[in-house]
Amino acid sequence: MVRSGVVYLAVILQLLSLPFVAGATAEQDEVGELPRDINREWVTEKRGEYIPLDARFLDEHGREITLGEIIDRPTLILPIYFYCPSSCSVNLANMAVAMNRLSFDPGDDYKAIALSFSHTETPEIASQAKRNYLKLTFDGFPENEWLFLTSSAEEIKRVTDSLGFRFKRIDDETFVHPSAMIAVAADGKIIRYVYGSFISGDIDMAISSAREGIPILSVRRFLEFCFNYDTSGKRAIYQNVKVAVLIFFTVVLVGVSIYYRKKRRRGGGRTR
Protein backbone atom coordinates (compact mmCIF):
# COMPACT_ATOMS: atom_id res chain seq x y z
CA MET A 1 0.00 0.00 0.00
CA VAL A 2 2.85 2.39 0.83
CA ARG A 3 4.55 1.71 -2.52
CA SER A 4 1.26 2.24 -4.37
CA GLY A 5 0.78 5.55 -2.61
CA VAL A 6 4.25 6.67 -3.60
CA VAL A 7 3.63 5.63 -7.22
CA TYR A 8 0.39 7.60 -7.48
CA LEU A 9 1.92 10.60 -5.74
CA ALA A 10 4.66 10.48 -8.37
CA VAL A 11 2.02 10.45 -11.10
CA ILE A 12 0.37 13.55 -9.64
CA LEU A 13 3.68 15.38 -9.28
CA GLN A 14 4.65 14.49 -12.84
CA LEU A 15 1.39 15.79 -14.24
CA LEU A 16 1.36 18.93 -12.13
CA SER A 17 4.73 19.82 -13.64
CA LEU A 18 3.31 20.10 -17.16
CA PRO A 19 3.52 23.58 -18.68
CA PHE A 20 0.42 25.68 -19.26
CA VAL A 21 1.91 27.61 -22.17
CA ALA A 22 3.15 26.12 -25.43
CA GLY A 23 6.92 25.94 -25.87
CA ALA A 24 9.04 26.81 -28.87
CA THR A 25 8.19 25.56 -32.32
CA ALA A 26 9.51 22.29 -33.72
CA GLU A 27 11.64 24.21 -36.21
CA GLN A 28 13.80 25.57 -33.37
CA ASP A 29 15.91 22.42 -33.24
CA GLU A 30 19.42 23.85 -33.47
CA VAL A 31 21.61 23.27 -30.44
CA GLY A 32 20.98 26.10 -27.99
CA GLU A 33 17.49 26.70 -29.38
CA LEU A 34 15.73 23.58 -28.17
CA PRO A 35 12.03 23.56 -27.34
CA ARG A 36 11.16 23.92 -23.67
CA ASP A 37 9.25 20.64 -23.84
CA ILE A 38 11.11 18.43 -26.30
CA ASN A 39 8.80 15.49 -25.58
CA ARG A 40 5.94 17.51 -27.02
CA GLU A 41 7.73 19.23 -29.88
CA TRP A 42 9.71 16.21 -31.10
CA VAL A 43 7.09 13.47 -30.72
CA THR A 44 4.08 13.40 -33.03
CA GLU A 45 1.75 10.77 -31.62
CA LYS A 46 0.55 8.43 -34.38
CA ARG A 47 -1.97 6.38 -32.46
CA GLY A 48 -3.89 3.96 -34.66
CA GLU A 49 -1.17 3.86 -37.33
CA TYR A 50 1.23 0.95 -37.81
CA ILE A 51 4.97 0.45 -37.52
CA PRO A 52 6.76 -1.38 -40.39
CA LEU A 53 6.89 -4.97 -39.19
CA ASP A 54 9.23 -5.88 -42.05
CA ALA A 55 11.92 -3.53 -40.70
CA ARG A 56 15.12 -5.52 -40.09
CA PHE A 57 17.24 -5.27 -36.95
CA LEU A 58 20.02 -7.14 -35.18
CA ASP A 59 19.35 -8.36 -31.66
CA GLU A 60 21.95 -8.30 -28.91
CA HIS A 61 23.28 -11.67 -30.13
CA GLY A 62 23.82 -10.37 -33.65
CA ARG A 63 20.89 -12.31 -35.14
CA GLU A 64 18.99 -10.57 -37.93
CA ILE A 65 15.28 -10.40 -37.24
CA THR A 66 12.26 -8.41 -38.36
CA LEU A 67 9.99 -6.57 -35.97
CA GLY A 68 7.19 -8.84 -37.13
CA GLU A 69 9.11 -11.84 -35.81
CA ILE A 70 9.32 -10.20 -32.39
CA ILE A 71 6.00 -8.46 -31.97
CA ASP A 72 3.35 -11.10 -31.43
CA ARG A 73 1.73 -9.54 -28.36
CA PRO A 74 1.60 -6.07 -26.75
CA THR A 75 5.10 -4.62 -26.95
CA LEU A 76 6.78 -1.67 -25.25
CA ILE A 77 9.24 0.13 -27.53
CA LEU A 78 11.78 2.52 -26.01
CA PRO A 79 13.84 4.45 -28.60
CA ILE A 80 17.23 5.28 -27.06
CA TYR A 81 20.92 4.98 -27.80
CA PHE A 82 23.17 2.93 -25.56
CA TYR A 83 26.05 5.43 -25.32
CA CYS A 84 23.75 8.21 -24.16
CA PRO A 85 25.43 9.88 -21.17
CA SER A 86 22.25 11.04 -19.45
CA SER A 87 18.55 10.57 -20.18
CA CYS A 88 18.71 7.22 -21.99
CA SER A 89 20.44 5.59 -19.03
CA VAL A 90 17.75 6.96 -16.74
CA ASN A 91 15.00 5.84 -19.13
CA LEU A 92 16.35 2.29 -19.35
CA ALA A 93 16.71 2.11 -15.57
CA ASN A 94 13.18 3.47 -15.08
CA MET A 95 11.86 0.95 -17.60
CA ALA A 96 13.54 -1.93 -15.75
CA VAL A 97 12.17 -0.76 -12.38
CA ALA A 98 8.69 -0.20 -13.83
CA MET A 99 8.60 -3.71 -15.29
CA ASN A 100 9.24 -5.05 -11.79
CA ARG A 101 5.99 -3.42 -10.65
CA LEU A 102 3.65 -4.13 -13.55
CA SER A 103 0.48 -6.14 -13.10
CA PHE A 104 1.31 -7.94 -16.35
CA ASP A 105 3.97 -10.62 -16.82
CA PRO A 106 6.78 -10.18 -19.36
CA GLY A 107 6.58 -12.85 -22.01
CA ASP A 108 3.08 -14.02 -21.17
CA ASP A 109 1.43 -10.60 -21.46
CA TYR A 110 3.89 -8.29 -23.18
CA LYS A 111 7.38 -7.88 -24.62
CA ALA A 112 9.82 -4.98 -24.42
CA ILE A 113 12.30 -3.52 -26.91
CA ALA A 114 15.17 -1.08 -26.33
CA LEU A 115 15.67 0.25 -29.86
CA SER A 116 18.86 2.15 -30.63
CA PHE A 117 18.44 5.03 -33.05
CA SER A 118 22.22 5.32 -33.49
CA HIS A 119 23.20 3.32 -36.58
CA THR A 120 26.83 3.20 -35.38
CA GLU A 121 25.98 1.06 -32.37
CA THR A 122 26.53 -2.68 -32.60
CA PRO A 123 25.06 -5.88 -31.11
CA GLU A 124 28.09 -6.05 -28.82
CA ILE A 125 27.22 -2.65 -27.37
CA ALA A 126 23.58 -3.69 -27.06
CA SER A 127 24.56 -6.92 -25.32
CA GLN A 128 26.64 -5.08 -22.72
CA ALA A 129 23.81 -2.63 -22.08
CA LYS A 130 21.34 -5.46 -21.68
CA ARG A 131 23.51 -7.22 -19.11
CA ASN A 132 23.70 -4.00 -17.11
CA TYR A 133 19.98 -3.24 -17.05
CA LEU A 134 18.84 -6.80 -16.47
CA LYS A 135 20.50 -6.46 -13.06
CA LEU A 136 17.69 -4.07 -12.12
CA THR A 137 14.89 -6.53 -12.95
CA PHE A 138 13.31 -9.05 -10.59
CA ASP A 139 14.71 -12.55 -10.07
CA GLY A 140 13.56 -14.82 -12.85
CA PHE A 141 12.83 -12.02 -15.32
CA PRO A 142 12.66 -13.71 -18.76
CA GLU A 143 15.58 -11.95 -20.44
CA ASN A 144 14.55 -13.08 -23.94
CA GLU A 145 11.42 -10.93 -23.61
CA TRP A 146 13.43 -7.69 -23.42
CA LEU A 147 15.34 -7.24 -26.66
CA PHE A 148 18.08 -4.69 -27.33
CA LEU A 149 18.15 -3.87 -31.04
CA THR A 150 20.45 -2.08 -33.49
CA SER A 151 20.18 -1.52 -37.23
CA SER A 152 21.09 0.60 -40.24
CA ALA A 153 20.20 4.27 -40.51
CA GLU A 154 17.56 3.50 -43.15
CA GLU A 155 15.73 0.87 -41.10
CA ILE A 156 15.91 2.95 -37.94
CA LYS A 157 14.43 5.95 -39.75
CA ARG A 158 11.54 3.84 -41.10
CA VAL A 159 10.56 2.85 -37.57
CA THR A 160 11.16 6.17 -35.80
CA ASP A 161 9.27 8.03 -38.55
CA SER A 162 6.36 5.63 -38.15
CA LEU A 163 6.38 6.34 -34.41
CA GLY A 164 6.57 10.10 -34.92
CA PHE A 165 9.81 10.16 -32.92
CA ARG A 166 12.42 12.77 -33.92
CA PHE A 167 16.09 12.88 -32.97
CA LYS A 168 19.13 14.89 -34.06
CA ARG A 169 22.81 13.99 -34.01
CA ILE A 170 24.88 16.90 -32.71
CA ASP A 171 28.31 15.21 -32.79
CA ASP A 172 29.81 11.76 -33.31
CA GLU A 173 28.41 10.30 -30.08
CA THR A 174 25.62 12.62 -28.91
CA PHE A 175 22.00 13.09 -29.93
CA VAL A 176 19.25 15.48 -28.98
CA HIS A 177 16.09 13.43 -28.54
CA PRO A 178 12.84 13.17 -26.58
CA SER A 179 12.06 10.54 -23.94
CA ALA A 180 9.05 8.42 -24.79
CA MET A 181 7.98 4.81 -24.55
CA ILE A 182 5.47 3.55 -27.11
CA ALA A 183 3.07 0.64 -26.62
CA VAL A 184 2.06 -1.23 -29.78
CA ALA A 185 -0.43 -4.04 -30.26
CA ALA A 186 0.41 -7.53 -31.57
CA ASP A 187 -0.30 -6.39 -35.13
CA GLY A 188 2.03 -3.38 -34.87
CA LYS A 189 -0.71 -0.80 -34.30
CA ILE A 190 0.49 2.16 -32.24
CA ILE A 191 -1.65 2.34 -29.11
CA ARG A 192 -0.24 4.70 -26.53
CA TYR A 193 2.74 6.90 -25.67
CA VAL A 194 4.16 7.02 -22.14
CA TYR A 195 6.33 9.95 -20.97
CA GLY A 196 8.10 11.02 -17.81
CA SER A 197 9.42 8.49 -15.31
CA PHE A 198 7.45 5.57 -16.80
CA ILE A 199 5.05 5.08 -13.89
CA SER A 200 4.00 1.42 -13.66
CA GLY A 201 0.27 2.28 -13.47
CA ASP A 202 0.52 4.27 -16.71
CA ILE A 203 2.35 1.40 -18.44
CA ASP A 204 -0.27 -1.06 -17.14
CA MET A 205 -2.95 1.04 -18.83
CA ALA A 206 -0.91 1.13 -22.06
CA ILE A 207 -0.50 -2.66 -22.10
CA SER A 208 -4.17 -3.17 -21.29
CA SER A 209 -5.16 -0.92 -24.21
CA ALA A 210 -2.68 -2.71 -26.49
CA ARG A 211 -4.23 -6.06 -25.58
CA GLU A 212 -7.57 -4.70 -26.74
CA GLY A 213 -6.06 -2.94 -29.76
CA ILE A 214 -7.66 0.37 -28.77
CA PRO A 215 -5.48 3.50 -29.27
CA ILE A 216 -5.64 5.95 -26.38
CA LEU A 217 -4.31 9.47 -25.79
CA SER A 218 -1.52 9.75 -23.24
CA VAL A 219 -2.25 11.56 -19.99
CA ARG A 220 0.45 14.13 -20.78
CA ARG A 221 -0.93 14.91 -24.24
CA PHE A 222 -4.48 15.07 -22.89
CA LEU A 223 -3.48 17.70 -20.35
CA GLU A 224 -1.45 19.62 -22.93
CA PHE A 225 -4.51 19.64 -25.18
CA CYS A 226 -6.67 20.94 -22.34
CA PHE A 227 -4.25 23.60 -21.10
CA ASN A 228 -2.31 24.82 -24.13
CA TYR A 229 -3.58 28.37 -23.71
CA ASP A 230 -2.31 31.76 -22.68
CA THR A 231 -3.44 31.64 -19.09
CA SER A 232 -2.90 35.32 -18.35
CA GLY A 233 -5.67 36.37 -15.96
CA LYS A 234 -7.18 32.88 -15.96
CA ARG A 235 -4.52 30.81 -14.24
CA ALA A 236 -6.61 30.02 -11.16
CA ILE A 237 -9.49 28.68 -13.26
CA TYR A 238 -7.23 26.45 -15.34
CA GLN A 239 -5.39 25.28 -12.23
CA ASN A 240 -8.66 24.18 -10.62
CA VAL A 241 -9.75 22.33 -13.74
CA LYS A 242 -6.32 20.74 -14.04
CA VAL A 243 -6.46 19.45 -10.47
CA ALA A 244 -9.90 17.97 -11.18
CA VAL A 245 -8.56 16.17 -14.23
CA LEU A 246 -5.59 14.89 -12.23
CA ILE A 247 -7.92 13.52 -9.56
CA PHE A 248 -9.93 11.74 -12.24
CA PHE A 249 -6.88 10.11 -13.80
CA THR A 250 -5.49 9.19 -10.39
CA VAL A 251 -8.73 7.40 -9.55
CA VAL A 252 -8.53 5.56 -12.87
CA LEU A 253 -4.91 4.55 -12.25
CA VAL A 254 -5.75 3.34 -8.74
CA GLY A 255 -8.73 1.37 -10.04
CA VAL A 256 -6.71 -0.31 -12.79
CA SER A 257 -3.91 -1.18 -10.38
CA ILE A 258 -6.28 -2.64 -7.76
CA TYR A 259 -8.10 -4.69 -10.42
CA TYR A 260 -4.92 -6.27 -11.77
CA ARG A 261 -3.40 -6.79 -8.33
CA LYS A 262 -6.51 -8.70 -7.25
CA LYS A 263 -6.36 -10.66 -10.49
CA ARG A 264 -2.71 -11.48 -9.82
CA ARG A 265 -3.41 -12.63 -6.26
CA ARG A 266 -6.02 -15.03 -7.61
CA GLY A 267 -3.53 -16.39 -10.13
CA GLY A 268 -0.42 -16.37 -7.93
CA GLY A 269 2.50 -13.93 -7.72
CA ARG A 270 6.09 -13.89 -8.92
CA THR A 271 9.39 -13.89 -7.10
CA ARG A 272 11.39 -10.70 -6.91
Side-chain angles (χ1 to χ4, degrees), residues 120-140:
T120 64
E121 293 189 322
T122 64
E124 291 75 22
I125 295 171
S127 179
Q128 180 60 55
K130 181 171 182 174
R131 287 194 295 271
N132 291 338
Y133 292 102
L134 280 176
K135 296 174 183 178
L136 300 177
T137 59
F138 60 83
D139 292 339

PDB file of all heavy atoms in Angstrom, residues 120-140:
ATOM      1  N   THR A 120      25.445   3.610 -35.617  1.00  0.00           N
ATOM      2  CA  THR A 120      26.831   3.200 -35.384  1.00  0.00           C
ATOM      3  C   THR A 120      26.954   2.203 -34.234  1.00  0.00           C
ATOM      4  O   THR A 120      28.029   1.619 -34.043  1.00  0.00           O
ATOM      5  CB  THR A 120      27.709   4.429 -35.077  1.00  0.00           C
ATOM      6  OG1 THR A 120      27.270   5.038 -33.858  1.00  0.00           O
ATOM      7  CG2 THR A 120      27.640   5.442 -36.210  1.00  0.00           C
ATOM      8  N   GLU A 121      25.906   2.002 -33.476  1.00  0.00           N
ATOM      9  CA  GLU A 121      25.979   1.061 -32.366  1.00  0.00           C
ATOM     10  C   GLU A 121      25.825  -0.369 -32.870  1.00  0.00           C
ATOM     11  O   GLU A 121      25.153  -0.630 -33.869  1.00  0.00           O
ATOM     12  CB  GLU A 121      24.936   1.406 -31.303  1.00  0.00           C
ATOM     13  CG  GLU A 121      25.252   2.735 -30.623  1.00  0.00           C
ATOM     14  CD  GLU A 121      24.396   3.039 -29.424  1.00  0.00           C
ATOM     15  OE1 GLU A 121      23.194   2.720 -29.444  1.00  0.00           O
ATOM     16  OE2 GLU A 121      24.927   3.616 -28.459  1.00  0.00           O
ATOM     17  N   THR A 122      26.418  -1.296 -32.158  1.00  0.00           N
ATOM     18  CA  THR A 122      26.528  -2.684 -32.603  1.00  0.00           C
ATOM     19  C   THR A 122      25.839  -3.632 -31.622  1.00  0.00           C
ATOM     20  O   THR A 122      25.529  -3.253 -30.484  1.00  0.00           O
ATOM     21  CB  THR A 122      28.005  -3.082 -32.698  1.00  0.00           C
ATOM     22  OG1 THR A 122      28.577  -3.038 -31.361  1.00  0.00           O
ATOM     23  CG2 THR A 122      28.771  -2.137 -33.623  1.00  0.00           C
ATOM     24  N   PRO A 123      25.616  -4.886 -32.041  1.00  0.00           N
ATOM     25  CA  PRO A 123      25.062  -5.875 -31.113  1.00  0.00           C
ATOM     26  C   PRO A 123      25.923  -6.068 -29.868  1.00  0.00           C
ATOM     27  O   PRO A 123      25.384  -6.350 -28.791  1.00  0.00           O
ATOM     28  CB  PRO A 123      25.007  -7.148 -31.965  1.00  0.00           C
ATOM     29  CG  PRO A 123      24.836  -6.658 -33.357  1.00  0.00           C
ATOM     30  CD  PRO A 123      25.682  -5.413 -33.426  1.00  0.00           C
ATOM     31  N   GLU A 124      27.229  -5.912 -29.994  1.00  0.00           N
ATOM     32  CA  GLU A 124      28.092  -6.050 -28.821  1.00  0.00           C
ATOM     33  C   GLU A 124      27.790  -4.968 -27.792  1.00  0.00           C
ATOM     34  O   GLU A 124      27.732  -5.241 -26.580  1.00  0.00           O
ATOM     35  CB  GLU A 124      29.561  -5.971 -29.248  1.00  0.00           C
ATOM     36  CG  GLU A 124      30.068  -7.155 -30.052  1.00  0.00           C
ATOM     37  CD  GLU A 124      29.566  -7.158 -31.485  1.00  0.00           C
ATOM     38  OE1 GLU A 124      29.184  -6.068 -31.992  1.00  0.00           O
ATOM     39  OE2 GLU A 124      29.561  -8.238 -32.102  1.00  0.00           O
ATOM     40  N   ILE A 125      27.584  -3.750 -28.266  1.00  0.00           N
ATOM     41  CA  ILE A 125      27.221  -2.652 -27.366  1.00  0.00           C
ATOM     42  C   ILE A 125      25.855  -2.920 -26.743  1.00  0.00           C
ATOM     43  O   ILE A 125      25.650  -2.712 -25.539  1.00  0.00           O
ATOM     44  CB  ILE A 125      27.227  -1.319 -28.136  1.00  0.00           C
ATOM     45  CG1 ILE A 125      28.635  -0.986 -28.611  1.00  0.00           C
ATOM     46  CG2 ILE A 125      26.654  -0.188 -27.274  1.00  0.00           C
ATOM     47  CD1 ILE A 125      28.698   0.202 -29.557  1.00  0.00           C
ATOM     48  N   ALA A 126      24.915  -3.388 -27.565  1.00  0.00           N
ATOM     49  CA  ALA A 126      23.576  -3.691 -27.062  1.00  0.00           C
ATOM     50  C   ALA A 126      23.618  -4.795 -26.015  1.00  0.00           C
ATOM     51  O   ALA A 126      22.906  -4.744 -25.005  1.00  0.00           O
ATOM     52  CB  ALA A 126      22.669  -4.097 -28.224  1.00  0.00           C
ATOM     53  N   SER A 127      24.459  -5.801 -26.256  1.00  0.00           N
ATOM     54  CA  SER A 127      24.562  -6.917 -25.316  1.00  0.00           C
ATOM     55  C   SER A 127      25.084  -6.460 -23.961  1.00  0.00           C
ATOM     56  O   SER A 127      24.580  -6.875 -22.906  1.00  0.00           O
ATOM     57  CB  SER A 127      25.474  -7.997 -25.900  1.00  0.00           C
ATOM     58  OG  SER A 127      25.613  -9.081 -25.011  1.00  0.00           O
ATOM     59  N   GLN A 128      26.100  -5.593 -23.984  1.00  0.00           N
ATOM     60  CA  GLN A 128      26.635  -5.075 -22.724  1.00  0.00           C
ATOM     61  C   GLN A 128      25.590  -4.249 -21.979  1.00  0.00           C
ATOM     62  O   GLN A 128      25.430  -4.378 -20.763  1.00  0.00           O
ATOM     63  CB  GLN A 128      27.870  -4.213 -23.004  1.00  0.00           C
ATOM     64  CG  GLN A 128      28.497  -3.619 -21.743  1.00  0.00           C
ATOM     65  CD  GLN A 128      28.949  -4.680 -20.757  1.00  0.00           C
ATOM     66  OE1 GLN A 128      29.720  -5.576 -21.103  1.00  0.00           O
ATOM     67  NE2 GLN A 128      28.477  -4.603 -19.525  1.00  0.00           N
ATOM     68  N   ALA A 129      24.864  -3.433 -22.710  1.00  0.00           N
ATOM     69  CA  ALA A 129      23.813  -2.634 -22.082  1.00  0.00           C
ATOM     70  C   ALA A 129      22.746  -3.535 -21.471  1.00  0.00           C
ATOM     71  O   ALA A 129      22.284  -3.289 -20.345  1.00  0.00           O
ATOM     72  CB  ALA A 129      23.193  -1.693 -23.112  1.00  0.00           C
ATOM     73  N   LYS A 130      22.368  -4.562 -22.195  1.00  0.00           N
ATOM     74  CA  LYS A 130      21.335  -5.459 -21.677  1.00  0.00           C
ATOM     75  C   LYS A 130      21.781  -6.121 -20.387  1.00  0.00           C
ATOM     76  O   LYS A 130      20.994  -6.221 -19.421  1.00  0.00           O
ATOM     77  CB  LYS A 130      20.985  -6.514 -22.727  1.00  0.00           C
ATOM     78  CG  LYS A 130      19.897  -7.476 -22.265  1.00  0.00           C
ATOM     79  CD  LYS A 130      19.412  -8.362 -23.396  1.00  0.00           C
ATOM     80  CE  LYS A 130      18.299  -9.281 -22.934  1.00  0.00           C
ATOM     81  NZ  LYS A 130      17.716 -10.063 -24.051  1.00  0.00           N
ATOM     82  N   ARG A 131      23.018  -6.576 -20.333  1.00  0.00           N
ATOM     83  CA  ARG A 131      23.513  -7.218 -19.107  1.00  0.00           C
ATOM     84  C   ARG A 131      23.424  -6.253 -17.928  1.00  0.00           C
ATOM     85  O   ARG A 131      23.073  -6.648 -16.809  1.00  0.00           O
ATOM     86  CB  ARG A 131      24.955  -7.689 -19.295  1.00  0.00           C
ATOM     87  CG  ARG A 131      25.082  -8.910 -20.192  1.00  0.00           C
ATOM     88  CD  ARG A 131      26.459  -9.542 -20.063  1.00  0.00           C
ATOM     89  NE  ARG A 131      27.522  -8.665 -20.539  1.00  0.00           N
ATOM     90  CZ  ARG A 131      27.948  -8.622 -21.793  1.00  0.00           C
ATOM     91  NH1 ARG A 131      27.373  -9.404 -22.710  1.00  0.00           N
ATOM     92  NH2 ARG A 131      28.927  -7.814 -22.148  1.00  0.00           N
ATOM     93  N   ASN A 132      23.738  -4.986 -18.188  1.00  0.00           N
ATOM     94  CA  ASN A 132      23.704  -4.001 -17.107  1.00  0.00           C
ATOM     95  C   ASN A 132      22.291  -3.770 -16.585  1.00  0.00           C
ATOM     96  O   ASN A 132      22.063  -3.747 -15.367  1.00  0.00           O
ATOM     97  CB  ASN A 132      24.294  -2.677 -17.595  1.00  0.00           C
ATOM     98  CG  ASN A 132      25.792  -2.758 -17.835  1.00  0.00           C
ATOM     99  OD1 ASN A 132      26.467  -3.619 -17.276  1.00  0.00           O
ATOM    100  ND2 ASN A 132      26.307  -1.874 -18.672  1.00  0.00           N
ATOM    101  N   TYR A 133      21.324  -3.611 -17.488  1.00  0.00           N
ATOM    102  CA  TYR A 133      19.982  -3.239 -17.054  1.00  0.00           C
ATOM    103  C   TYR A 133      19.158  -4.430 -16.583  1.00  0.00           C
ATOM    104  O   TYR A 133      18.221  -4.257 -15.794  1.00  0.00           O
ATOM    105  CB  TYR A 133      19.264  -2.465 -18.163  1.00  0.00           C
ATOM    106  CG  TYR A 133      19.901  -1.118 -18.369  1.00  0.00           C
ATOM    107  CD1 TYR A 133      20.764  -0.884 -19.442  1.00  0.00           C
ATOM    108  CD2 TYR A 133      19.700  -0.081 -17.456  1.00  0.00           C
ATOM    109  CE1 TYR A 133      21.389   0.352 -19.601  1.00  0.00           C
ATOM    110  CE2 TYR A 133      20.323   1.147 -17.622  1.00  0.00           C
ATOM    111  CZ  TYR A 133      21.164   1.356 -18.685  1.00  0.00           C
ATOM    112  OH  TYR A 133      21.782   2.569 -18.830  1.00  0.00           O
ATOM    113  N   LEU A 134      19.522  -5.622 -17.006  1.00  0.00           N
ATOM    114  CA  LEU A 134      18.836  -6.803 -16.470  1.00  0.00           C
ATOM    115  C   LEU A 134      19.091  -6.956 -14.971  1.00  0.00           C
ATOM    116  O   LEU A 134      18.285  -7.566 -14.259  1.00  0.00           O
ATOM    117  CB  LEU A 134      19.292  -8.064 -17.204  1.00  0.00           C
ATOM    118  CG  LEU A 134      18.654  -8.338 -18.563  1.00  0.00           C
ATOM    119  CD1 LEU A 134      19.285  -9.567 -19.209  1.00  0.00           C
ATOM    120  CD2 LEU A 134      17.144  -8.540 -18.433  1.00  0.00           C
ATOM    121  N   LYS A 135      20.192  -6.395 -14.493  1.00  0.00           N
ATOM    122  CA  LYS A 135      20.495  -6.463 -13.063  1.00  0.00           C
ATOM    123  C   LYS A 135      19.456  -5.724 -12.226  1.00  0.00           C
ATOM    124  O   LYS A 135      19.349  -5.963 -11.011  1.00  0.00           O
ATOM    125  CB  LYS A 135      21.884  -5.887 -12.800  1.00  0.00           C
ATOM    126  CG  LYS A 135      23.019  -6.667 -13.448  1.00  0.00           C
ATOM    127  CD  LYS A 135      24.358  -5.971 -13.265  1.00  0.00           C
ATOM    128  CE  LYS A 135      25.477  -6.724 -13.978  1.00  0.00           C
ATOM    129  NZ  LYS A 135      26.795  -6.032 -13.863  1.00  0.00           N
ATOM    130  N   LEU A 136      18.701  -4.840 -12.852  1.00  0.00           N
ATOM    131  CA  LEU A 136      17.689  -4.069 -12.123  1.00  0.00           C
ATOM    132  C   LEU A 136      16.322  -4.750 -12.127  1.00  0.00           C
ATOM    133  O   LEU A 136      15.400  -4.271 -11.475  1.00  0.00           O
ATOM    134  CB  LEU A 136      17.552  -2.673 -12.750  1.00  0.00           C
ATOM    135  CG  LEU A 136      18.810  -1.809 -12.760  1.00  0.00           C
ATOM    136  CD1 LEU A 136      18.525  -0.482 -13.470  1.00  0.00           C
ATOM    137  CD2 LEU A 136      19.309  -1.558 -11.343  1.00  0.00           C
ATOM    138  N   THR A 137      16.178  -5.842 -12.869  1.00  0.00           N
ATOM    139  CA  THR A 137      14.889  -6.529 -12.945  1.00  0.00           C
ATOM    140  C   THR A 137      14.774  -7.586 -11.860  1.00  0.00           C
ATOM    141  O   THR A 137      15.766  -7.975 -11.235  1.00  0.00           O
ATOM    142  CB  THR A 137      14.701  -7.175 -14.329  1.00  0.00           C
ATOM    143  OG1 THR A 137      15.771  -8.104 -14.576  1.00  0.00           O
ATOM    144  CG2 THR A 137      14.701  -6.115 -15.433  1.00  0.00           C
ATOM    145  N   PHE A 138      13.560  -8.080 -11.657  1.00  0.00           N
ATOM    146  CA  PHE A 138      13.313  -9.046 -10.588  1.00  0.00           C
ATOM    147  C   PHE A 138      13.938 -10.406 -10.919  1.00  0.00           C
ATOM    148  O   PHE A 138      14.208 -10.725 -12.079  1.00  0.00           O
ATOM    149  CB  PHE A 138      11.808  -9.197 -10.331  1.00  0.00           C
ATOM    150  CG  PHE A 138      11.009  -9.685 -11.513  1.00  0.00           C
ATOM    151  CD1 PHE A 138      10.914 -11.034 -11.824  1.00  0.00           C
ATOM    152  CD2 PHE A 138      10.324  -8.774 -12.315  1.00  0.00           C
ATOM    153  CE1 PHE A 138      10.163 -11.475 -12.900  1.00  0.00           C
ATOM    154  CE2 PHE A 138       9.571  -9.205 -13.406  1.00  0.00           C
ATOM    155  CZ  PHE A 138       9.485 -10.565 -13.692  1.00  0.00           C
ATOM    156  N   ASP A 139      14.154 -11.206  -9.883  1.00  0.00           N
ATOM    157  CA  ASP A 139      14.712 -12.549 -10.068  1.00  0.00           C
ATOM    158  C   ASP A 139      13.789 -13.367 -10.960  1.00  0.00           C
ATOM    159  O   ASP A 139      12.571 -13.408 -10.739  1.00  0.00           O
ATOM    160  CB  ASP A 139      14.863 -13.258  -8.717  1.00  0.00           C
ATOM    161  CG  ASP A 139      15.927 -12.615  -7.842  1.00  0.00           C
ATOM    162  OD1 ASP A 139      16.799 -11.911  -8.401  1.00  0.00           O
ATOM    163  OD2 ASP A 139      15.889 -12.814  -6.612  1.00  0.00           O
ATOM    164  N   GLY A 140      14.368 -14.006 -11.956  1.00  0.00           N
ATOM    165  CA  GLY A 140      13.557 -14.819 -12.852  1.00  0.00           C
ATOM    166  C   GLY A 140      12.977 -14.065 -14.026  1.00  0.00           C
ATOM    167  O   GLY A 140      12.189 -14.627 -14.793  1.00  0.00           O
TER     168      GLY A 140
END
